[in-house]
């Protein structure tokens, strides 16, 4: 159940793509792309705005506002439907492939009559694309990788999209008479980066009101199973939702069981068997007598097995049970531990909100400090200049401490060039409070060159954080090829933090890389990379990923008091290792 803003964002972005495919004016396509981003990042529900209110959003003109109003009035936009009709279905199927742009998709259809993913894969294997203008071996390899990404993703969706749907359902079911508990479980509760389906649990004496309510939700497109113990539906966005209603006395056991993971559950059941017990979704029972000994809460079930309560994000059978038995389970970082966001953008570059609005929104989140890190000049499309960034710094200093005494840090997001160089010289970088450095281009460098590139950036005394280190976009772009073990070692040596970027399509570093980097002694920054006010709330996904990497507050620099953080940010400039 996407937010209305996100529905419109997707619609306008699709229209921009359709304009590009059909040979429309490039400036018009760009205008719709800009409006799509502006509406997607707007903090107000645009379905409640009239045309005049919509036109107050930067980048939204009269024609676009009218289309948005038409969409919410009728559920469709006539001009977009007409443009869709001009594009064969086969082309639109090909456009779904990551790495394949709309114009290439149209060329494949018109020149080779390719209209499906399987046909395209077969054509590449037969080397039929190489005679087409704009195609070659490298293009073929990129498309094949895009097909692989698509197939790997299958029916899985991003964590954030699943969370929105789950929370809507939980809110609805929690309001029904007789509900004693309601929660989502499964891979969503474990905060995995993608989710295949939703598991929803309810504790109640009667199941029928909840089963019926799920089938009657506006977002329910198809009922797959409707029964007293389990009901499954498919939403209009294609996500399967499985609802189970259990007796309140079994709530804890059911929540533990349906949260998983499968490997974690096998391990806990093995512990139970060794103790002469049987563990199921109904409770923990004595094997011989059948007496139930624990079930009402998860903590009760774990305690009877000789374990502390294990956070859901750790339940992947990656040593959490052994650590619990030894009394060494980490106190993982929580969202409440985060004292500030160290990577955000304003409308000075590619953000959607002015500096003052971003600062106000950050202060409302209760932060002790907050960093503004707009792009540096090597990202040429952002049109940054020395004068612009210095003027912003002056304004940041003026606002410092004005909002609930929140301290402001003036930073920048530097671009790591192919040789590891960054945008500004040392004498200019010296006056920033912090510098995030990220790879934004030349993703195809060889492994050795890419490793040298990142290592050189880490060794820069003014680079504090490596932003979205692997550059991956989940389901759309693979991470860069580099020797990250070498990178991790250099980060630990130089006092350079690695970012856990909380954007839902990044979550970069991912949990497995975090676990490896932690072994080297690396420190981390959990940042939103927010380009709009709503994106500040993405922090929860970064924290969930940090938890999956077993991180504590000692590992995460933006949980530290400002004085300790500033000491870390001085890096080696103070004449000693951080």
């Amino acid at each position: 159940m996407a937010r209305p803003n996100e529905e419109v964002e997707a619609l306008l972005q699709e229209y921009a793509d359709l304009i590009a495919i059909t040979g429309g004016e490039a400036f018009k396509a760009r205008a719709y792309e800009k409006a799509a981003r502006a509406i997607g990042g707007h903090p107000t529900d645009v379905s409640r705005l009239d045309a005049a209110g919509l036109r107050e959003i930067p980048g939204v003109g009269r024609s676009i506002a009218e289309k948005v109003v038409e969409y919410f009035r009728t559920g469709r936009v006539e001009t977009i439907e007409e443009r869709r009709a001009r594009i064969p279905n086969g082309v639109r199927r090909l456009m779904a492939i990551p790495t394949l742009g709309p114009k290439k998709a149209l060329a494949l259809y018109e020149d080779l009559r390719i209209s499906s993913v399987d046909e395209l894969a077969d054509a590449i294997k037969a080397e039929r694309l190489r005679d087409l203008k704009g195609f070659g071996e490298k293009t073929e390899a990129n498309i094949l990788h895009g097909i692989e990404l698509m197939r790997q993703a299958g029916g899985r969706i991003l964590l954030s999209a699943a969370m929105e749907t789950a929370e809507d359902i939980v809110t609805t079911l929690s309001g029904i008479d007789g509900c004693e508990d309601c929660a989502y479980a499964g891979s969503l509760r474990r905060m995995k980066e993608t989710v295949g389906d939703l598991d929803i649990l309810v504790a109640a004496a009667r199941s029928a009101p909840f089963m019926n309510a799920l089938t009657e939700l506006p977002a329910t497109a198809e009922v797959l199973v409707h029964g007293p113990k389990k009901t499954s539906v498919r939403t209009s966005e294609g996500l399967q939702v499985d609802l189970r209603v259990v007796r309140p006395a079994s709530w804890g056991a059911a929540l533990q069981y349906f949260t998983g993971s499968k490997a974690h559950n096998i391990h806990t059941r093995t512990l139970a068997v060794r103790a002469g017990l049987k563990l199921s979704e109904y409770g923990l029972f004595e094997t011989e007598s059948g007496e139930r000994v624990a079930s009402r809460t998860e903590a009760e079930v774990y305690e009877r097995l000789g374990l502390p309560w294990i956070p859901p994000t750790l339940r992947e059978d990656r040593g959490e049970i052994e650590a619990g038995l030894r009394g060494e389970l980490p106190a993982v970082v929580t969202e409440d531990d985060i004292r500030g966001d160290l990577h955000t953008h304003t409308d000075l570059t590619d953000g959607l909100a002015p500096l003052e609005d971003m600062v106000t929104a950050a202060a409302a989140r209760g932060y002790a400090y907050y960093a503004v890190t707009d792009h540096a000049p090597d990202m040429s499309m952002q049109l940054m200049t020395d004068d612009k960034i210095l003027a912003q710094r002056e304004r940041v200093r003026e606002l410092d401490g004005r909002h609930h005494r929140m301290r402001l840090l003036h930073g920048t997001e530097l671009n790591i060039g192919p040789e590891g160089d960054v945008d500004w010289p040392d004498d200019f970088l010296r006056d920033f409070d912090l510098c995030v450095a990220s790879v934004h281009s030349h993703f195809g460098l060889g492994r050795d060159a890419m490793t040298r590139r990142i290592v050189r950036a880490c060794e820069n005394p003014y680079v504090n954080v490596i932003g979205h280190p692997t550059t991956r976009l989940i389901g759309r772009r693979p991470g860069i090829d580099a020797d990250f073990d070498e990178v991790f070692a250099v980060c630990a040596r130089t006092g350079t933090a690695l970012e856990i970027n909380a954007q839902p399509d990044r979550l970069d570093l991912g949990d497995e890389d975090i676990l490896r980097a932690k072994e080297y002694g690396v420190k981390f920054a959990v940042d939103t990379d927010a380009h709009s006010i709503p994106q500040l709330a993405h922090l929860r996904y970064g924290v969930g990923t940090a938890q999956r990497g077993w991180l504590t507050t000692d590992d995460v620099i933006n949980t530290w008091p400002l004085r300790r953080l500033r000491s870390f940010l001085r890096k080696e400039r103070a004449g000693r290792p951080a």
Side-chain angles (χ1 to χ4, degrees):
M1 298 174 213
R3 291 171 58 242
N5 299 41
E6 291 165 352
E7 292 179 26
V8 174
E9 180 181 19
L11 184 71
L12 297 182
Q13 181 58 58
E14 179 191 1
Y15 190 45
D17 290 340
L18 294 173
I19 292 170
I21 293 173
T22 54
E25 302 92 336
F27 77 88
K28 185 175 181 181
R30 286 195 297 270
Y32 276 91
E33 287 176 352
K34 183 178 180 181
R37 290 181 58 249
I39 288 175
H42 192 63
T44 302
D45 182 346
V46 295
S47 68
R48 300 177 181 178
L49 300 179
D50 59 14
L54 288 164
R55 291 181 65 179
E56 293 180 4
I57 301 173
V60 177
R62 180 182 58 81
S63 178
I64 294 174
E66 289 174 352
K67 288 181 175 64
V68 175
V69 170
E70 179 184 354
Y71 174 70
F72 286 119
R73 187 181 70 249
T74 67
R76 63 201 302 271
V77 178
E78 189 61 34
T79 56
I80 296 179
E81 293 297 326
E82 291 172 358
R83 188 79 67 153
R84 281 174 174 166
R86 294 166 58 183
I87 307 297
N89 288 335
V91 176
R92 296 176 65 186
R93 283 194 288 270
L94 295 179
M95 284 170 56
I97 301 171
T99 73
L100 182 64
K103 290 186 178 179
K104 278 189 166 57
L106 184 61
L108 290 169
Y109 180 83
E110 291 181 339
D111 294 341
L112 298 179
R113 309 311 293 176
I114 293 172
S115 61
S116 74
V117 175
D118 289 340
E119 288 177 356
L120 178 55
D122 290 341
I124 293 173
K125 290 175 185 176
E127 300 183 357
R128 293 175 56 208
L129 272 59
R130 297 188 182 183
D131 294 332
L132 296 182
K133 183 179 179 180
F135 290 82
E137 289 187 47
K138 187 173 182 180
T139 305
E140 289 178 341
N142 287 337
I143 294 172
L144 279 177
H145 191 78
I147 292 172
E148 181 183 350
L149 287 173
M150 172 186 275
R151 288 172 172 168
Q152 286 175 353
R156 301 184 72 84
I157 66 171
L158 293 178
L159 172 64
S160 57
M163 186 69 76
E164 288 183 6
T165 298
E167 290 183 336
D168 284 347
I169 294 173
V170 167
T171 297
T172 298
L173 298 184
S174 295
I176 296 175
D177 287 344
C179 179
E180 295 197 16
D181 277 297
C182 183
Y184 53 81
S187 57
L188 178 61
R189 189 169 180 234
R190 301 199 312 277
M191 296 292 278
K192 291 200 69 173
E193 60 197 34
T194 61
V195 174
D197 51 40
L198 290 183
D199 293 292
I200 307 291
L201 291 181
V202 167
R206 296 176 59 244
S207 66
F210 304 93
M211 301 304 190
N212 292 337
L214 181 65
T215 65
E216 295 166 3
L217 288 176
T220 296
E222 180 183 7
V223 177
L224 305 176
V225 177
H226 189 183
K229 293 185 177 180
K230 176 183 176 181
T231 292
S232 297
V233 303
R234 182 168 286 113
T235 70
S236 55
E237 296 176 343
L239 182 63
Q240 182 170 324
V241 181
D242 298 327
L243 170 64
R244 294 172 178 84
V245 179
V246 300
R247 296 283 182 178
S250 296
W251 173 253
L255 189 57
Q256 192 277 333
Y257 180 87
F258 288 109
T259 294
S261 67
K262 181 179 179 180
H264 178 87
N265 284 355
I266 290 172
H267 205 152
T268 54
R269 288 200 298 270
T270 300
L271 286 184
V273 169
R274 290 173 182 168
L277 302 168
K278 180 181 178 181
L279 178 62
S280 72
E281 63 266 44
Y282 302 108
L284 188 61
F285 301 88
E286 292 278 0
T287 302
E288 291 189 5
S289 68
E291 178 186 356
R292 181 156 51 190
V293 297
S295 64
R296 188 166 288 276
T297 68
E298 283 191 317
E300 181 181 293
V301 172
Y302 279 114
E303 182 180 13
R304 188 63 179 80
L305 293 173
L307 293 165
W309 179 80
I310 298 176
T313 45
L314 298 186
R315 300 181 196 176
E316 298 291 350
D317 198 29
R318 295 194 287 207
E320 71 278 5
I321 291 176
E322 293 84 352
L325 292 171
R326 294 192 306 267
E328 297 175 357
L329 201 65
V332 291
V333 63
T334 69
E335 195 169 353
D336 288 341
D337 293 322
I338 301 296
R339 296 178 185 237
D341 199 332
L342 300 182
H343 181 180
T344 67
H345 296 273
T346 75
D347 62 358
L348 184 62
T349 55
D350 59 345
L352 299 176
L355 169 66
E356 289 79 3
D357 291 354
M358 293 296 288
V359 169
T360 300
R365 295 181 63 82
Y367 288 149
Y369 47 80
Y370 175 74
V372 177
T373 55
D374 275 314
H375 288 287
D378 280 1
M379 292 286 286
S380 57
M381 73 287 292
Q382 309 305 343
L383 303 177
M384 178 58 78
T385 65
D386 293 7
D387 289 343
K388 284 183 179 180
I389 201 74
L390 291 175
Q392 184 188 66
R393 179 177 299 158
E394 184 176 344
R395 184 58 181 149
V396 166
R397 300 296 184 238
E398 291 173 356
L399 294 172
D400 184 27
R402 288 192 181 182
H403 294 273
H404 309 293
R405 299 184 179 179
M406 182 180 73
R407 302 305 305 273
L408 297 182
L409 303 176
H410 188 238
T412 184
E413 184 180 12
L414 302 166
N415 184 58
I416 303 174
E419 301 299 324
D421 51 312
V422 295
D423 310 55
W424 276 304
D426 287 358
D427 61 351
F428 197 82
L429 295 178
R430 181 178 294 118
D431 294 325
F432 285 101
D433 295 318
L434 82 160
C435 294
V436 178
S438 310
V439 170
H440 292 110
S441 63
H442 300 86
F443 302 119
L445 291 182
R447 182 178 179 84
D448 291 344
M450 188 66 79
T451 304
R452 287 193 301 272
R453 174 187 194 179
I454 302 175
V455 165
R456 185 181 173 197
C458 294
E459 291 175 338
N460 185 312
Y462 298 98
V463 169
N464 305 115
V465 179
I466 300 297
H468 43 76
T470 76
T471 80
R472 72 168 183 176
L473 293 174
I474 298 171
R476 293 191 286 141
R477 185 174 72 206
I480 53 178
D481 183 16
D483 183 348
F484 275 99
D485 285 291
E486 181 176 345
V487 171
F488 298 157
V490 171
C491 283
R493 171 172 60 80
T494 60
T496 307
L498 289 172
E499 183 175 70
I500 301 171
N501 188 295
Q503 288 290 320
D505 62 346
R506 288 191 184 274
L507 298 183
D508 182 13
L509 286 175
D511 56 358
E512 293 184 359
D513 284 329
I514 294 169
L515 286 164
R516 280 173 40 223
K518 179 178 167 68
E519 293 179 1
Y520 286 86
V522 173
K523 300 302 182 184
F524 304 83
V526 181
D527 301 324
T528 64
D529 191 6
H531 286 65
S532 64
I533 290 171
Q535 288 184 2
L536 292 171
H538 287 164
L539 181 71
R540 66 192 298 194
Y541 306 119
V543 170
T545 303
Q547 290 180 349
R548 289 179 60 80
W550 289 51
L551 297 189
T552 69
T553 54
D554 188 57
D555 300 309
V556 179
I557 65 173
N558 50 323
T559 68
W560 300 349
L562 183 58
R563 179 174 295 182
R564 183 183 178 190
L565 173 64
R566 285 192 184 278
S567 177
F568 179 86
L569 296 177
R570 285 196 293 271
K571 211 171 176 182
E572 295 181 348
R573 284 173 275 164
R576 64 181 186 278

